[in-house]
Amino acid sequence: MKKDDCIFCKIANGEIPSNTLYEDESFRVILDVGPATKGHALILPREHFANLYELPEDWCQKAFLLAKRMAARMTERLGCDGFNLLQNNGEVAGQTVHHFHVHLIPRYKDDGQELEMKKSSPSQEELAKVREEICG
Ligand code: AMP
Ligand code: ZN
């Protein structure tokens, strides 16, 4: 289903123009208007799902397969040196548009972009506690 007040629903369904790289009956892939690097693109489902939690599993499979294919094609055409897939869920995780999307981010040697995480150094006990919380 589409959502009337959702900009990505409108873009995905062609009601608002975009720089489209690919489209099929389920998805549209567009260039991001605020690219982190040259070629930064977004995979948008044509139906409205707010985030990964709402995305049905069959859509998830198709989205990831499309991400792989787009990454291969963009790498070949753009000559990038690496690639990030990024997918934010919830404001705390950096999601600003609440229509599921996958970021396709070509990376270039010396592109100056910083997507790296700040890492921590938990003890073995702390890691085991987290594992128990998730799996126990
Ligand atoms: P996120 O922060 O993961 O929700 O990502 C939203 C992304 O959408 C950002 O990278 C924005 O630059 C991009 N964006 C927002 N509006 C548009 C638009 N009208 N067309 C293309 N990209 C957009
Ligand atoms: Zn939407």
Side-chain angles (χ1 to χ4, degrees):
M1 285 282 282
K2 282 191 284 171
K3 195 161 172 275
D4 284 343
D5 58 349
C6 173
I7 185 164
F8 278 5
C9 278
K10 292 192 171 80
I11 292 173
N13 289 287
E15 290 159 38
I16 292 178
S18 62
N19 283 294
T20 295
L21 304 182
Y22 171 86
E23 61 180 307
D24 62 26
E25 70 281 3
S26 304
F27 295 95
R28 182 184 293 265
V29 181
I30 64 165
L31 286 180
D32 195 298
V33 286
T37 64
K38 181 183 156 194
H40 180 178
L42 303 170
I43 295 179
L44 311 179
R46 286 188 190 273
E47 288 191 29
H48 184 85
F49 307 107
N51 49 42
L52 183 67
Y53 304 113
E54 286 193 4
L55 189 74
E57 290 191 354
D58 55 335
W59 284 78
C60 190
Q61 286 176 327
K62 286 192 280 183
F64 209 83
L65 181 58
L66 181 54
K68 176 179 167 57
R69 290 179 177 160
M70 288 304 303
R73 170 134 179 127
M74 291 165 72
T75 299
E76 189 187 314
R77 293 296 183 99
L78 295 169
C80 56
D81 304 302
F83 216 93
N84 288 116
L85 294 185
L86 181 68
Q87 202 279 306
N88 300 326
N89 299 283
E91 270 160 36
V92 71
Q95 186 175 13
T96 58
V97 181
H98 296 276
H99 174 124
F100 173 89
H101 52 280
V102 179
H103 293 261
L104 302 167
I105 308 177
R107 298 302 302 272
Y108 307 87
K109 207 166 170 289
D110 304 324
D111 64 20
Q113 188 52 250
E114 289 175 21
L115 301 173
E116 282 72 28
M117 289 176 252
K118 266 191 240 161
K119 308 281 286 226
S120 58
S121 309
S123 65
Q124 279 306 324
E125 289 74 29
E126 286 168 322
L127 288 175
K129 263 171 89 175
V130 176
R131 189 193 60 214
E132 183 61 22
E133 205 173 323
I134 298 168
C135 306

